[in-house]
Amino acid sequence: MKSIVVYESRYGSTEKYAKWIGEELNCRVSKIGDVNTEELLSYDNIIFGGWLHAGTIKGFKHIYKYIDKFRDKNLIVYYVGLSIMDDSVYEEVKKNNFKYDDNIKQFYLRGAFNYNKLTATDKLMMNMFKIILKRQKEEEMNENTRGMLDAYTNPIDFTDKDSIKPIIDEVNNMNL
Ligand SMILES: Cc1cc2nc3c(=O)[nH]c(=O)nc-3n(C[C@H](O)[C@H](O)[C@H](O)COP(=O)(O)O)c2cc1C
């Protein structure tokens, strides 16, 4: 069974995970923009990774546009974000990215954040987001809100090689 890892990453965490997964599976790793759909469809196992941007999985549209063509493939999607995964994050990601109740295997991995390294556009967006977050009363904030507000001043990096294990196990199980 042939595998490929394709990804979209802006600040490096999703790419780092892609390379770790590629090393473990001993397979090709490529930016999603560098592989066309026909070429992707020549693989049996397609592992796509994208980072979360306001609840959207960046780059996933390249695959989702042709989702019917991937129905007989083993498609795994991992997405990388800062949030602690909970029901509300899961529901938001589902609503924004998976229109039908797709049978796509999904994994969430935690990324990194350094406000000072953001592009001007991302800084602007994050500043607007901060205003919204700060409207909440301190006692009403959940762990995600507090963690996010803290990240504006303290860069954080949750990337962890061990967290790819469920993805590797999934691919290995699919190919038994
Ligand atoms: C503009 C912007 C929007 C973001 N939106 C989300 C989000 O909706 N949910 C989340 O968990 N993380 C969010 N993040 C955090 C990123 O997903 C996180 O920094 C990730 O590691 C970036 O991936 P990359 O390093 O591969 O580019 C956002 C970050 C930026 C800069």
Side-chain angles (χ1 to χ4, degrees):
M1 291 274 212
K2 265 193 346 166
S3 302
I4 184 170
V5 185
V6 277
Y7 67 91
E8 180 154 322
S9 179
R10 181 167 292 162
Y11 301 103
S13 330
T14 314
E15 180 176 42
K16 198 199 272 185
Y17 281 121
K19 289 183 175 164
W20 280 334
I21 296 166
E23 269 166 33
E24 289 297 312
L25 297 176
N26 197 16
C27 72
R28 180 176 167 195
V29 177
S30 187
K31 289 182 185 158
I32 183 78
D34 293 345
V35 191
N36 68 39
T37 312
E38 290 315 309
E39 206 180 345
L40 261 188
L41 291 165
S42 69
Y43 291 85
D44 309 290
N45 306 318
I46 299 147
I47 300 115
F48 169 80
W51 62 288
L52 280 184
H53 177 277
T56 297
I57 305 172
K58 293 296 272 186
F60 186 45
K61 61 172 191 271
H62 293 285
I63 291 189
Y64 211 73
K65 252 195 310 199
Y66 307 107
I67 197 70
D68 285 337
K69 295 191 178 189
F70 287 90
R71 298 252 181 246
D72 58 348
K73 299 285 168 188
N74 296 322
L75 176 62
I76 288 181
V77 174
Y78 75 85
Y79 45 90
V80 178
L82 215 54
S83 311
I84 301 163
M85 182 49 78
D86 62 16
D87 287 351
S88 69
V89 175
Y90 177 80
E91 287 305 324
E92 192 197 5
V93 173
K94 191 174 162 191
K95 174 171 68 83
N96 292 343
N97 302 278
F98 304 97
K99 299 269 183 297
Y100 320 100
D101 198 17
D102 280 302
N103 203 11
I104 300 171
K105 296 274 180 322
Q106 298 170 44
F107 295 87
Y108 175 64
L109 302 172
R110 288 189 87 193
F113 185 84
N114 184 341
Y115 178 80
N116 293 322
K117 291 196 173 163
L118 299 185
T119 61
T121 321
D122 283 350
K123 271 191 182 144
L124 191 69
M125 184 169 173
M126 293 310 290
N127 284 336
M128 290 188 323
F129 187 46
K130 191 176 180 181
I131 295 170
I132 298 170
L133 291 179
K134 286 203 141 185
R135 278 195 198 131
Q136 285 183 43
K137 288 189 186 123
E138 176 68 33
E139 61 274 20
E140 283 168 7
M141 288 182 184
N142 65 20
E143 217 181 333
N144 262 326
T145 310
R146 286 202 190 90
M148 195 60 242
L149 283 172
D150 188 51
Y152 283 84
T153 38
N154 301 313
I156 35 170
D157 187 348
F158 295 109
T159 54
D160 168 21
K161 190 172 182 188
D162 286 346
S163 61
I164 65 167
K165 196 173 176 305
I167 300 178
I168 306 302
D169 290 347
E170 183 67 36
V171 176
N172 290 335
N173 284 338
M174 286 188 309
N175 297 318
L176 285 178

